[in-house]
Amino acid sequence: MKKQWKVFLGFILVLLIVIFALSNSQQVPVNFIVKKIYLSLVLIIIGSALIGAVVVFLTSGTTLFQQRKEIKQLKETIQEYENNNEEKLTAEKAALQREKENEIATLTANYESLLKEKDRALADKEMRDQTNDPQHPIDYYD
C-alpha cells in the first residue's frame, strides 16, 4: 500500500510533464558552448525531465547502495553477537551443570560416609552389648 501511492504520484507527475511539454510545441534556440541549435520545446522539456530523473536516480542510488551495505554489515555483526552469546550461554550452562553435578557428588559422598559411621557405631554398640551382657538375663528376684 505504501509503494502504491508513490507509483500513483509518479505517474501523475509524468503525465503533467508530458501535458506541459505537448502544450509548448514551438521551436526554440538551444545554445551549446560552440553551436546554436533550434529544437522543439517538447524535446527540451522531456529531455530535461529525463536528465533530472537520471541525476536523482544516480544520487539516491549511491546512497541506497551505501545504506544496504551498512545494513548488511550490521546484520552480520548482529549474527556474530548472537552466535557468541549462544556459545557463551552453552559454556555457562555446561559449567553450571558440572558445578551442580560436583555438588551432588560431594553431598552423596558425605551422606554415604555418615551412613557408614552410623553403621559402624551401631555395630560397635551391638558388639559391646553382646560382650557385656551374659547369655542369660539376670534375675534380681532370686
Side-chain angles (χ1 to χ4, degrees):
M1 189 72 178
K2 192 174 185 180
K3 290 186 179 185
Q4 288 177 344
W5 72 268
K6 289 180 181 181
V7 171
F8 183 70
L9 183 64
F11 180 72
I12 289 175
L13 288 175
V14 168
L15 188 63
L16 287 175
I17 290 171
V18 169
I19 291 171
F20 177 72
L22 292 175
S23 65
N24 294 297
S25 62
Q26 64 268 19
Q27 293 281 329
V28 292
V30 178
N31 290 320
F32 289 105
I33 295 174
V34 292
K35 192 168 185 176
K36 186 175 190 180
I37 302 174
Y38 287 93
L39 290 173
S40 173
L41 191 55
V42 173
L43 293 176
I44 294 172
I45 293 172
I46 292 177
S48 297
L50 288 175
I51 290 172
V54 167
V55 168
V56 167
F57 177 74
L58 290 176
T59 56
S60 67
T62 56
T63 305
L64 184 65
F65 176 74
Q66 290 172 347
Q67 288 175 346
R68 285 184 181 175
K69 184 178 178 183
E70 185 178 354
I71 288 171
K72 182 180 177 184
Q73 289 173 346
L74 290 173
K75 283 182 179 180
E76 288 174 356
T77 304
I78 288 171
Q79 186 65 35
E80 186 177 311
Y81 283 140
E82 286 177 352
N83 290 340
N84 287 341
N85 284 341
E86 286 295 322
E87 291 172 5
K88 288 178 183 178
L89 182 62
T90 303
E92 196 66 30
K93 281 182 181 178
L96 285 174
Q97 184 68 27
R98 284 191 303 271
E99 183 180 322
K100 291 298 177 187
E101 288 173 356
N102 288 340
E103 187 178 329
I104 289 171
T106 303
L107 290 174
T108 303
N110 288 342
Y111 177 72
E112 288 177 0
S113 68
L114 287 174
L115 279 179
K116 286 181 184 178
E117 287 179 20
K118 290 287 184 180
D119 286 344
R120 258 189 252 124
L122 283 175
D124 287 346
K125 184 177 179 187
E126 284 179 7
M127 289 294 278
R128 273 187 267 127
D129 287 346
Q130 287 177 359
T131 56
N132 289 342
D133 286 342
Q135 291 291 337
H136 302 287
I138 299 174
D139 189 9
Y140 292 104
Y141 297 108
D142 282 339

